[in-house]
Amino acid sequence: MNRKTLISVFFVVILLGFSAYLDSPYSFLNKDYAYSNDQPAAAIPVEVKPSTNVPETEERLVKRKKENGYILETYEEYEVYKDKDGHILKSEPTGQTDTLKYWDYSKSKGISKDR
């Protein structure tokens, strides 16, 4: 190696080291930010009973039809209220619907499975 290459490599290493120092938590730029905690965090278990008046959402199949080789399924979202034993007290539709469209593979006799 000639002298110019050695000096260039030396300055690149010094520059990379200085930029790594500036990015570290020990840098004078980051002295006001805490990166660690002196005391470990302790998790205290708390017994929480689920509320019975909060509804769960579930989707129910409303309509299913076949069209042009596809199966179209329409689902509607319902809010379901349950008691503490899991029995359904009330079920209300939210009005939000989702439609799934997928190919009916039972009708695809002409498609080869060797592909």
Side-chain angles (χ1 to χ4, degrees):
M1 278 187 164
N2 66 19
R3 189 173 183 151
K4 286 184 179 181
T5 307
L6 189 59
I7 292 173
S8 298
V9 170
F10 177 74
F11 281 116
V12 168
V13 169
I14 294 296
L15 182 66
L16 287 174
F18 184 67
S19 63
Y21 164 73
L22 290 178
D23 196 36
S24 73
Y26 305 109
S27 165
F28 64 90
L29 296 175
N30 298 324
K31 67 180 178 183
D32 295 331
Y33 302 105
Y35 285 98
S36 63
N37 192 357
D38 292 341
Q39 297 179 359
I44 301 170
V46 178
E47 288 188 33
V48 177
K49 295 181 181 177
S51 177
T52 58
N53 60 355
V54 177
E56 298 176 7
T57 58
E58 71 178 38
E59 291 189 351
R60 296 181 186 165
L61 181 64
V62 177
K63 182 172 53 172
R64 180 180 180 165
K65 67 179 181 176
K66 295 183 179 183
E67 182 179 292
N68 297 331
Y70 288 95
I71 297 174
L72 297 168
E73 293 181 343
T74 304
Y75 292 88
E76 186 171 11
E77 185 178 72
Y78 282 81
E79 287 183 347
V80 179
Y81 295 86
K82 295 182 180 181
D83 63 2
K84 64 181 177 179
D85 297 325
H87 299 100
I88 296 176
L89 299 174
K90 182 170 63 168
S91 178
E92 297 177 343
T94 62
Q96 182 173 354
T97 59
D98 291 322
T99 302
L100 295 178
K101 179 180 179 180
Y102 54 92
W103 182 253
D104 186 9
Y105 286 102
S106 64
K107 302 286 183 184
S108 59
K109 295 179 183 174
I111 297 177
S112 168
K113 294 184 179 180
D114 296 332
R115 288 189 197 183

